[in-house]
Amino acid sequence: MAPHARFVLAVAAWCLAAVAVVLPLAWLINTRDWGIALMLLVPVVVYGLLRLGRVLEGWARAMPPPRG
């Protein structure tokens, strides 16, 4: 797999994960009376997305094993 393709896959995976987590969280915060309590989870979610981004970056930058 080309290194460029790994970066594209990593960015796409991160974007999908971010939308899958942030969109429902924002909807619940906005529409439920108890949603304001979910604001306590927001820093944890952001931290998790940052960690996921670092892991995906490491995967995208990893050199493939030499062939032969």
Side-chain angles (χ1 to χ4, degrees):
M1 183 181 302
H4 180 69
R6 290 181 84 142
F7 278 111
V8 171
L9 285 174
V11 169
W14 187 87
C15 286
L16 285 173
V19 168
V21 171
V22 172
L23 202 69
L25 183 62
W27 180 75
L28 287 171
I29 289 170
N30 191 34
T31 60
R32 304 288 184 215
D33 289 338
W34 48 265
I36 195 67
L38 292 176
M39 289 295 291
L40 297 172
L41 288 178
V42 171
V44 175
V45 169
V46 170
Y47 179 74
L49 287 172
L50 288 171
R51 294 282 305 204
L52 177 63
R54 288 185 182 144
V55 168
L56 288 171
E57 180 186 8
W59 173 77
R61 290 186 186 272
M63 296 298 289
R67 296 182 187 208

